[in-house]
Amino acid sequence: MKLIRGGTVVNGDGSTTADVLCGDDGVILKVASGLEIPSGCDVLDAGGLLVMPGGIDPHTHMEMPFMGSTSSDDFYTGTAAGLAGGTTSIIDFVIPEVGGSLVEAWKLWRNKAEKAASDYAFHVAVTHWDERVHEEMGILARDCGVSSFKHFMAYKGALMVDDGVLLNSVSRAMELGALCNIHAENGDAVAWMQADLLAKGMKGPAAHPASRPPSVEGEATQRVIAIAGLIGAPIYIVHVSTEDATAAITRARAAGQRVYGEVLAQHLVIDDSVYQSDNWLSAAQHVMSPPFRPKHHQKALWAGLVSGQLQTTATDHCCFCAPQKMNGKDDFTKIPNGTPGIEDRMSVLWHHGVRAGYLTPEEFVKITSTNTADIFGMTSKGRIVEGADADIVLWDPEATRTVSAATHHQNVDYNVYEGMTLTGLAHTTLMRGDIAWKEGDLRATRGAGRYVSRKSGGSAVDALKRQMAGKNPLSVA
Ligand code: URP
Ligand code: ZN
Ligand code: ZN
């Protein structure tokens, strides 16, 4: 047993001074002030610290084959880095081969993830449509604990799905009580812009944002909202990076449609000036999709989080080292897309969100943990309450660290926040009651993570079904 004594417990709905008793089974036994120390119990002094639910990152890509490379953080190194930063669970993406079996891909990802140091769940991508996909979505939802599916509207010729696939898949997910995630960029427009830029001799990383301007994201976001509206299905838009997409989500929500939006910590604080670097590698290291945006978009993203129109924060953690990025030396369309971030998300949001005055500590907890647990049906996570998993971060709001690839734990040779000094750090991280990080000492255990099986009909879909019984009276369609 462990007793966390004398800290301020911060949940999404309020803060209180209380002790937290964690059982040997990794579950929270009691939250109350002045708890007695049971015999044989370890005591963690949380004086001056905040005791918060461990972060949940709803969007990671560990050891993912993508664009001719495999992302360099595997399920052990990536989740261990997350624990160092206060993140105790991830939701990663199973990516089946186009035309391949969703269930076989899910099994492959289960195998890869056995080494994870933190808990993990999976969204499964739908990359084409046929009878088998229809059937396997049912198997995954009923028997495999998968309650969310992913769709890429971009990456033409690889992962991209058209509107027909979206309609079929969103409708099937709705039937199953599952939630659809969407990467919203118009992939046809991106492919056309890429070819046009290459033909004009623009081959470097600066052409990457030019090939995917904000309108490309805005259009796709609006389109998938309209598609989901036809069916009355809730949807979740990943990595919202523009004011255009934020406005589309806000409009839909105001019209009564259940649309959720996720923001990456990276997009909140890094802008598109990174692509102007004279250093090719530095610019290439920032190639991700959607790309970094002109600064004014950041204001819309913060406003979206503050107003609750955007509900979660993630990292899209997808690392590629220099030799991998070099695949695109002569052609920006071949630079593997992705940036790291799992280790720094919580600190970036505390420093630039809470300390900067945008967010309260309770809102910080909601957007780093509780909302993700609720939207994706991770019922034992996201709260410091009796019966919940003892996934807990003892947060030092005053501790400071300067980020560097030289000292981070991510298995990648750069850090997009290099040189940024952040105040607000994970002092101690407990993963189901076990100390995985304490004052700079990483004690993550290979294989300690468990698969989080989620019931279909997680709260987002349940709520909608209760409200609408098959048809949304407020649908914009
Ligand atoms: O650039 C990115 N985001 N890479 C990972 C794949 C995706 O689009 O999420
Ligand atoms: Zn994406
Ligand atoms: Zn992603």
Side-chain angles (χ1 to χ4, degrees):
M1 272 195 276
K2 283 189 188 67
L3 182 67
I4 302 169
R5 231 169 38 150
T8 302
V9 174
V10 184
N11 273 311
D13 56 1
S15 300
T16 179
T17 304
D19 303 335
V20 181
L21 183 64
C22 308
D24 290 331
D25 56 358
V27 168
I28 297 173
L29 293 175
K30 226 170 181 31
V31 182
S33 57
L35 285 179
E36 290 198 358
I37 306 174
S39 68
C41 179
D42 295 335
V43 177
L44 294 176
D45 178 11
L49 302 176
L50 307 178
V51 181
M52 306 195 289
I56 307 174
D57 189 335
H59 189 155
T60 66
H61 301 280
M62 305 302 176
E63 51 187 301
M64 176 179 73
F66 188 53
M67 295 183 72
S69 283
T70 297
S71 55
S72 59
D73 247 333
D74 68 22
F75 277 92
Y76 172 64
T77 58
T79 52
L83 290 163
T87 289
T88 50
S89 300
I90 60 169
I91 316 183
D92 202 88
F93 290 83
V94 172
I95 313 283
E97 308 225 325
V98 179
S101 160
L102 274 58
V103 172
E104 289 308 313
W106 174 80
K107 286 182 187 161
L108 183 68
W109 255 258
R110 285 293 307 262
N111 275 341
K112 291 200 277 190
E114 270 177 12
K115 58 175 110 47
S118 79
D119 286 357
Y120 53 93
F122 291 126
H123 313 285
V124 175
V126 170
T127 51
H128 70 288
W129 192 256
D130 59 22
E131 256 318 298
R132 185 166 66 156
V133 174
H134 181 273
E135 188 193 325
E136 291 197 328
M137 285 175 78
I139 295 169
L140 289 166
R142 279 190 302 269
D143 308 331
C144 303
V146 172
S147 64
S148 47
F149 294 93
K150 171 72 181 289
H151 307 78
F152 294 92
M153 296 171 80
Y155 306 124
K156 188 172 181 177
L159 303 172
M160 180 174 132
V161 291
D162 62 18
D163 294 352
V165 175
L166 279 175
L167 277 157
N168 280 318
S169 187
V170 172
S171 152
R172 175 66 169 147
M174 182 69 176
E175 208 170 270
L176 295 166
L179 183 63
C180 284
N181 290 8
I182 315 289
H183 172 136
E185 286 184 298
N186 183 324
D188 281 313
V190 171
W192 191 92
M193 298 286 281
Q194 287 176 331
D196 189 52
L197 287 157
L198 286 173
K200 289 175 176 150
M202 295 181 63
K203 300 199 160 94
H208 177 70
S211 70
R212 335 174 76 100
S215 60
V216 157
E217 182 182 336
E219 185 278 330
T221 306
Q222 186 56 57
R223 178 156 42 100
V224 73
I225 286 172
I227 286 171
L230 290 172
I231 297 162
I235 47 167
Y236 176 96
I237 313 288
V238 302
H239 49 45
V240 174
S241 74
T242 58
E243 58 186 16
D244 316 48
T246 306
I249 293 168
T250 303
R251 268 197 311 275
R253 290 172 65 85
Q257 204 172 334
R258 214 165 281 257
V259 181
Y260 301 96
E262 164 195 286
V263 188
L264 306 185
Q266 297 95 306
H267 282 137
L268 285 164
V269 299
I270 297 170
D271 65 56
D272 63 349
S273 58
V274 292
Y275 299 116
Q276 301 311 319
S277 172
D278 292 337
N279 178 335
W280 183 92
L281 181 59
S282 170
Q285 284 169 333
H286 291 87
V287 166
M288 65 176 297
S289 297
F292 291 103
R293 302 297 192 185
K295 218 167 184 49
H296 66 273
H297 291 277
Q298 291 172 2
K299 201 170 160 203
L301 301 181
W302 282 115
L305 287 171
V306 169
S307 63
Q309 302 298 343
L310 305 175
Q311 296 77 30
T312 65
T313 56
T315 60
D316 199 358
H317 184 77
C318 187
C319 305
F320 297 105
C321 295
Q324 299 175 293
K325 290 281 183 184
M326 290 292 282
N327 288 350
K329 190 76 191 81
D330 303 316
D331 176 349
F332 72 95
T333 67
K334 296 193 167 53
I335 301 169
N337 287 202
T339 58
I342 192 168
E343 189 165 348
D344 304 307
R345 176 183 66 130
M346 304 276 280
S347 288
V348 166
L349 282 154
W350 186 270
H351 183 94
H352 292 281
V354 179
R355 285 185 72 90
Y358 286 119
L359 303 168
T360 65
E362 292 78 10
E363 286 166 344
F364 170 86
V365 167
K366 281 191 202 165
I367 64 162
T368 56
S369 182
T370 318
N371 288 350
T372 291
D374 289 353
I375 290 170
F376 289 109
M378 300 171 89
T379 50
S380 63
K381 308 221 178 264
R383 287 177 177 79
I384 308 274
V385 290
E386 289 172 25
D389 288 350
D391 293 349
I392 298 172
V393 59
L394 308 190
W395 191 257
D396 186 339
E398 301 300 334
T400 289
R401 170 175 67 105
T402 299
V403 179
S404 175
T407 49
H408 73 196
H409 301 84
Q410 301 167 140
N411 185 35
V412 65
D413 55 5
Y414 74 105
N415 192 307
V416 288
Y417 306 113
E418 186 73 34
M420 189 181 277
T421 298
L422 299 171
T423 299
L425 305 181
H427 174 281
T428 302
T429 308
L430 285 88
M431 216 276 299
R432 275 185 283 99
D434 289 331
I435 295 177
W437 167 261
K438 193 164 191 302
E439 294 173 273
D441 178 19
L442 185 56
R443 306 182 200 169
T445 307
R446 198 178 176 86
R450 282 193 204 149
Y451 177 59
V452 181
S453 184
R454 298 174 294 133
K455 270 213 314 268
S456 278
S459 58
V461 183
D462 269 352
L464 187 61
K465 282 200 161 159
R466 275 200 306 278
Q467 174 199 321
M468 59 184 263
K471 188 149 181 54
N472 185 352
L474 293 171
S475 171
V476 292

